[in-house]
Amino acid sequence: MLAVSRRSPLLRNSSYALYRSFHINLPLKSDFAFVFDIDGVLIRGKKPIPQAKPALELLNKNKIPYILMTNGGGVSEAAKAQEVSHITGFPNISPLQVVQSHTPMKSLINDPNYKRVLVVGGDKDNARKVAEDYGFKDVTMPIDIVRNNKSAAPHSMYKPEYFEKYSKDIDTSIPIDAILVFNDPRDLSSDMQIVQDLLNSNNGLIGTKRDFKSWKDHTSPSIPIIFSNNDYIYANDYPLPRFGQGAFRMLTETLYNTTNKLKPDQNLDSLILGKPFKLQYDFAHHILIDWNARLEANKSHESIQNLPKLGEIPETTPFKKIYMVGDNPESDIKGANDHGWESILLRTGVYQDEDYDSIIAKPTVGVFDNVEDAVKTVLIDNGIKV
Ligand code: G3P
Ligand code: MG
C-alpha cells in the first residue's frame, strides 16, 4: 500500500513497481481499477447498452476491480445493483460495488445535527426506506407534511391512495434538523413548497417563518440542505437529455434567493454531493479500496462495509490508476480530472462529438464509442491480452 501524496493523489511512485517485482509469490494484484458511471454508460433508462455486459465480463475474467458510481439514486444500493444486473444481463454486481449520489449520507447517521431529517425525492416512499435502512432514526417526507395539512401544498398531485400507502402521521411540534435531497422530485410543487418553507422557517419548525429582519446572514438557511447530485441533465432512453436533480437545485436557489432578497453575487448556502465533487470521489475511492480488499480476501459476499467519515481522504491506495468511465463531461470527466483519476468519455449518453471543443473537461484517455471499446483499450495499455 502506498501513501497518497497531496499533490498527486494517485501516485506516480516507482516503489509500488518494486514491491510487486520483489513479491513474485503473491497472487497478481491489479494496480489499476475502473469506476463506471451507470446512466449513459451501462444502461439508458430501462434499456441496456449492449456492450456493458461483455465489458464487465472481461474485467471479471481478468480480475480487475471495479465499482459503479452514479449520480442517480432514490433506491437502495442493493436495488440499484439488481436493476443494473437485470437490464444489462450481467448478474454479478454486488450492492457493495454501488455508490449512488446519496450513499455518502450513510456517514451522517450518528451526527446529532441530523436526527430528524426531511428526505426529498424518488418514487413512492423508497427514499424514506433507504434513509431508514442507512440508519436515520426519524425520517419525514414532504408527503407527510401535506397529509397533515393539505393546504400546505395546494397544487400537490398526490391521490388519496398515495397518502394511504406512502405517508405517515408526524408530530409537527418537533423541528426538522436538516433537508436531504435524495433524488429528483416526483411531486415537484409539493417538494418545492415544503423545502422553501423549511429553509425559511423558525429553526425547522413546520408551519413557522423566521423573523426576516433579525436573521443576520440571509444566505444561510434556517436548517441545512444537502443536495445529493448536481446533474442539470442526464441521459435516459429519450433521444434528448432530461433535466436532473441539478435543475431542482437551481429552482430551490432561485426561490430562496428571491425570498431572501439576496444580491446577484450571493446564493443559498448548501452542500452538494455527487460527481464531480471531491467528497464523492474520495468516498468512492474508499469503497473501491474496500471492495478490492474483499476480492483479495475472498470476502465479497460479506455485507458489512467499512465506511469513511464524510470528507475523509483515503490515506493509502493499492491503485496507480483509477479509470473513470462516463458520458457526462461536467460530472464524470471533470470530477476524475480534478481529483487525479484517469478519464474516459463515451458516445453512448449525454456527450455529443460536436460539443467536444466546448466541453468543460477533456478526457485524459480519450473518447470511445462504447464501454467495451474503452475497457479493451485500457486492458491492452496495461499489458493484458484481450
Ligand atoms: O438521475 C440520474 C442522473 O442524474 C445521472 O446518472 O449514472 O449518469 O451518473 P449517472
Ligand atoms: Mg451518465
Side-chain angles (χ1 to χ4, degrees), residues 39-40 43-45 233-238 240-242 327 348-350:
D39 287 305
I43 60 176
R44 276 192 79 141
I233 51 170
Y234 74 103
N236 70 354
D237 46 343
Y238 195 72
L240 299 174
R242 304 289 80 197
D327 68 308
T348 44
V350 164

Side-chain angles (χ1 to χ4, degrees), residues 22-299:
F22 284 130
H23 291 77
I24 48 173
N25 290 333
L26 288 177
L28 186 64
K29 294 173 182 175
S30 176
D31 58 7
F32 68 98
F34 284 88
V35 177
F36 294 102
D37 173 43
I38 294 181
D39 287 305
V41 167
L42 302 178
I43 60 176
R44 276 192 79 141
K46 300 285 170 222
K47 294 193 180 140
I49 291 179
Q51 295 83 5
K53 187 170 183 248
L56 298 180
E57 282 169 350
L58 197 57
L59 293 180
N60 271 18
K61 187 177 147 213
N62 287 286
K63 299 192 172 25
I64 310 297
Y66 62 88
I67 60 166
L68 317 184
M69 172 161 61
T70 175
N71 269 354
V75 293
S76 67
E77 285 68 28
K80 183 57 87 177
Q82 210 174 19
E83 182 192 345
V84 177
S85 288
H86 175 73
I87 298 176
T88 57
F90 178 78
N92 306 315
I93 300 171
S94 161
L96 301 182
Q97 286 174 286
V98 176
V99 176
Q100 303 189 92
S101 65
H102 46 68
T103 311
M105 289 180 186
K106 283 181 180 178
S107 305
L108 294 173
I109 55 168
N110 295 319
D111 186 326
N113 298 315
Y114 293 83
K115 267 198 201 141
R116 185 176 224 205
V117 291
L118 181 86
V119 162
V120 179
D123 281 330
K124 304 171 185 167
D125 59 350
N126 289 344
R128 186 204 306 275
K129 290 182 184 144
V130 177
E132 287 172 348
D133 197 44
Y134 283 0
F136 288 101
K137 306 273 175 327
D138 187 352
V139 182
T140 297
M141 292 194 77
I143 191 171
D144 306 332
I145 297 172
V146 184
R147 170 192 174 119
N148 178 261
N149 185 341
K150 306 276 188 310
S151 308
H155 307 306
S156 153
M157 297 296 284
Y158 294 131
K159 300 269 183 306
E161 62 270 22
Y162 220 78
F163 284 110
E164 196 62 43
K165 281 188 185 157
Y166 306 121
S167 70
K168 63 173 192 182
D169 279 329
I170 49 163
D171 181 351
T172 53
S173 68
I174 304 170
I176 304 277
D177 295 321
I179 302 169
L180 306 178
V181 184
F182 263 55
N183 197 235
D184 311 25
R186 299 303 196 268
D187 193 87
L188 180 62
S189 80
S190 302
D191 290 357
M192 188 180 81
Q193 184 71 66
I194 302 300
V195 165
Q196 290 300 317
D197 284 353
L198 286 169
L199 293 176
N200 295 290
S201 64
N202 187 9
N203 294 321
L205 211 51
I206 294 161
T208 65
K209 194 172 176 305
R210 69 185 177 191
D211 180 36
F212 187 82
K213 279 189 190 143
S214 62
W215 195 260
K216 287 201 185 84
D217 177 7
H218 281 96
T219 60
S220 161
S222 300
I223 57 171
I225 181 164
I226 304 182
F227 296 96
S228 68
N229 107 44
N230 202 33
D231 286 354
Y232 166 63
I233 51 170
Y234 74 103
N236 70 354
D237 46 343
Y238 195 72
L240 299 174
R242 304 289 80 197
F243 289 129
Q245 197 194 121
F248 179 63
R249 200 251 316 144
M250 290 174 182
L251 185 63
T252 304
E253 288 177 354
T254 304
L255 293 171
Y256 178 90
N257 295 354
T258 307
T259 304
N260 284 278
K261 302 184 172 48
L262 297 190
K263 300 189 184 114
D265 61 342
Q266 293 180 312
N267 201 17
L268 162 70
D269 272 348
S270 69
L271 176 64
I272 311 176
L273 305 179
K275 299 170 286 184
F277 301 111
K278 179 166 172 53
L279 197 144
Q280 201 79 3
Y281 280 73
D282 285 337
F283 185 89
H285 195 169
H286 277 284
I287 299 296
L288 180 62
I289 293 168
D290 182 70
W291 176 249
N292 183 54
R294 275 161 201 286
L295 289 179
E296 288 179 358
N298 241 329
K299 288 184 175 167

